[in-house]
Amino acid sequence: GEDVEQSLFLSVREGDSSVINCTYTDSSSTYLYWYKQEPGAGLQLLTYIFSNMDMKQDQRLTVLLNKKDKHLSLRIADTQTGDSAIYFCADPNTGGFKTIFGAGTRLFVKA
Amino acid sequence: DVKVTQSSRYLVKRTGEKVFLECVQDMDHENMFWYRQDPGLGLRLIYFSYDVKMKEKGDIPEGYSVSREKKERFSLILESASTNQTSMYLCASSKGSGNTGELFFGEGSRLTVL
């Protein structure tokens, strides 16, 4: 079946760039999403990329999509302590009714 | 500000008790979902509903039921709670028409079953 995989932990120093990687087995979805979950809270949509794009930039966030390798990444420039959270990549399979989430990458930012 | 509200943030129940988790959204969304979140497993879909009184099983429906009597409200029911249902439960909603697949989440309900 379809699957989305991500590494579970990433630790960076404040001011460095963070790169969170995700691989998926197959996607016919129009979008691929990144959600952010802050401690004690639900998930919020952070950013997304159209499946016909290679890259999307949104302030400190850069999303890269390599459809050939089925690889999605999220880069956070100048990482701050407030970026400490769990980041989920998600494939909104079948219009979001059966969204496939990765296990989530917990980002630790050291001051 | 649009919102999905889960009435209970933290619950502690005993094995065998009946548990109700309530979720209300104010966005007039057609679709509502219940997920379970466990460390290292991500989010797993329990049930979803695409209309009032309609429900569909997700990936892990066993031990759970749901109710959607009104468009804005979706309830998750554990008929007889067990310790392996200790988890974080997340409710979400999404649009019907014009749906991009984006989900709007509540803050979560952390359930501990003793």
Side-chain angles (χ1 to χ4, degrees):
Chain A
E2 291 165 16
D3 194 16
V4 173
E5 291 191 357
Q6 352 174 192
S7 54
L8 296 183
F9 299 99
L10 176 65
S11 179
V12 300
R13 291 196 179 279
E14 194 173 23
D16 287 351
S17 292
S18 309
V19 180
I20 301 170
N21 294 301
C22 173
T23 56
Y24 57 94
T25 53
D26 194 17
S27 179
S28 56
S29 301
T30 303
Y31 305 85
L32 290 168
Y33 291 118
W34 284 101
Y35 286 87
K36 178 182 181 182
Q37 184 181 34
E38 296 186 351
L43 281 69
Q44 262 195 309
L45 184 67
L46 182 65
T47 188
Y48 64 92
I49 188 166
F50 284 101
S51 58
N52 63 359
M53 295 172 68
D54 299 324
M55 183 177 89
K56 178 185 175 184
Q57 188 127 14
D58 183 2
Q59 300 182 331
R60 293 191 296 121
L61 305 177
T62 304
V63 181
L64 295 176
L65 176 60
N66 181 328
K67 290 191 79 172
K68 176 175 167 286
D69 295 338
K70 296 185 170 55
H71 185 264
L72 181 71
S73 67
L74 172 70
R75 178 177 180 268
I76 306 172
D78 187 26
T79 311
Q80 302 297 305
T81 54
D83 295 322
S84 294
I86 304 175
Y87 293 82
F88 293 89
C89 65
D91 175 359
N93 191 32
T94 62
F97 286 106
K98 291 282 186 89
T99 299
I100 302 166
F101 289 90
T105 300
R106 188 179 290 270
L107 175 64
F108 296 94
V109 182
K110 295 176 282 190
Chain B
D1 203 14
V2 294
K3 252 186 122 102
V4 177
T5 303
Q6 295 183 232
S7 53
S8 304
R9 292 296 308 274
Y10 300 95
L11 303 97
V12 180
K13 298 291 181 181
R14 296 207 173 274
T15 302
E17 281 193 83
K18 192 167 185 175
V19 182
F20 292 89
L21 299 179
E22 303 282 341
C23 175
V24 177
Q25 51 96 3
D26 65 2
M27 294 170 279
D28 200 34
H29 283 170
E30 278 75 16
N31 309 317
M32 295 188 75
F33 305 81
W34 275 105
Y35 286 89
R36 172 178 170 156
Q37 182 182 10
D38 298 289
L41 297 178
L43 275 70
R44 293 180 290 168
L45 181 64
I46 304 171
Y47 269 97
F48 67 95
S49 168
Y50 53 89
D51 201 353
V52 175
K53 296 194 187 294
M54 305 305 290
K55 60 186 179 186
E56 293 282 343
K57 291 180 180 178
D59 299 316
I60 52 162
E62 296 79 18
Y64 304 95
S65 61
V66 290
S67 172
R68 189 150 180 222
E69 296 297 317
K70 292 185 178 182
K71 188 177 185 179
E72 67 271 18
R73 189 178 296 268
F74 192 36
S75 303
L76 179 69
I77 302 146
L78 287 67
E79 293 288 342
S80 177
S82 62
T83 54
N84 63 11
Q85 292 178 310
T86 292
S87 188
M88 170 74 95
Y89 291 89
L90 293 167
C91 175
S93 70
S94 69
K95 291 180 188 177
S97 62
N99 180 17
T100 61
E102 180 183 356
L103 295 168
F104 296 82
F105 284 87
E107 300 265 288
S109 299
R110 186 166 291 282
L111 172 66
T112 302
V113 183
L114 302 175

